[in-house]
Amino acid sequence: MKEYKIGETFLIGRKKFQVVEGGNCEGCYFNDNTEFCFDLQKYIGNCYSKEREDGNEVNFKLIEE
């Protein structure tokens, strides 16, 4: 499974996202659609500290261009 590091950016379709430090789902772009979020984990990595190699909680932030 791919795991993006804090600060890294990636594309999903035409939308650009950045991995940022986070503590809960409220600050995450994918918060409104948890089913989609869980499906994406195999491509973008997990957000839970216990599941991440770096041990950090993260959120995925949409980068407006």
Side-chain angles (χ1 to χ4, degrees):
M1 170 179 9
K2 171 70 175 163
E3 180 178 288
Y4 290 99
K5 296 178 183 176
I6 292 174
E8 277 191 279
T9 59
F10 59 93
L11 293 173
I12 296 178
R14 293 183 175 191
K15 293 185 179 186
K16 187 175 184 178
F17 296 89
Q18 183 176 33
V19 181
V20 296
E21 286 188 68
N24 59 40
C25 295
E26 281 187 31
C28 186
Y29 177 82
F30 302 112
N31 182 40
D32 292 338
N33 191 341
T34 53
E35 185 175 315
F36 183 64
C37 173
F38 290 123
D39 289 341
L40 275 178
Q41 288 179 3
K42 58 187 163 204
Y43 302 109
I44 64 174
N46 207 306
C47 56
Y48 299 112
S49 60
K50 292 181 181 179
E51 301 291 328
R52 291 182 54 84
E53 290 179 19
D54 63 9
N56 291 307
E57 298 275 335
V58 300
N59 288 337
F60 301 102
K61 176 182 170 186
L62 178 66
I63 305 285
E64 300 291 337
E65 293 186 5

